Amino acid sequence: MGVRGSSTGGRVVTMDTLVRVKRGLHSPPRASAPLRLPIPGGMTAPLGCDAVAVPARFGPQILPRLPRVGCVYADTNHWWWLVPADSDYALEWPVPAHYATGAVVRDASRIPPLLHRPHDTLPYTPPIPLYLALCQVTGTIPTWSRPISA
């Protein structure tokens, strides 16, 4: 069944067309593609790549506590540490850190500049030392050290 656009024989508008028009009126605007932290040229990420974002004030405190530092991106608000994919498995990253699956930079209009690049070909900061350093600077007890309630 269709509806004519005018009584003088205009274009036929079907129910499918009306449904598409209605969806178009109520659908949110398409978001731009998410910004992802890039793997620098000459490096490989065989384990996939996620990121841990921390407020910039913690970055200088965390850096010297790590046995190995991978790629770190930074701007005035945050430092992002590249870690292997799924480094959030069984870990509750302490607040105010944010775990970014796929190394997606949220709430940023552009990719932050690279602050540190390791000398080898792996972009990763080991996640457990990063987690422990972050716990130290935020005063958070690591998940595995917390009392278990019955």
Side-chain angles (χ1 to χ4, degrees), residues 65-76:
R65 297 171 192 252
L66 298 172
R68 180 190 192 280
V69 179
C71 290
V72 180
Y73 293 83
D75 63 18
T76 56

Side-chain angles (χ1 to χ4, degrees), residues 18 28 33-34 36 43 56 76 99 111 114 118-119 122 131-132 149:
L18 293 173
R36 295 183 189 277
M43 301 191 97
T76 56
Y99 190 84
I111 300 292
L114 184 64
H119 297 291
L122 293 175
Y131 173 81
L132 292 172
S149 60

Side-chain angles (χ1 to χ4, degrees), residues 29-115:
R30 289 186 181 184
S32 59
L35 296 175
R36 295 183 189 277
L37 297 172
I39 304 298
M43 301 191 97
T44 61
L47 301 175
C49 201
D50 291 344
V52 177
V54 299
R57 70 181 181 273
F58 293 127
Q61 297 172 42
I62 294 171
L63 197 61
R65 297 171 192 252
L66 298 172
R68 180 190 192 280
V69 179
C71 290
V72 180
Y73 293 83
D75 63 18
T76 56
N77 297 320
H78 294 93
W79 285 29
W80 290 266
W81 308 80
L82 292 186
V83 294
D86 299 324
S87 293
D88 61 336
Y89 181 76
L91 279 181
E92 292 176 31
W93 288 86
V95 174
H98 169 72
Y99 190 84
T101 302
V104 173
V105 180
R106 66 179 191 172
D107 302 329
S109 58
R110 64 182 182 86
I111 300 292
L114 184 64
L115 175 75

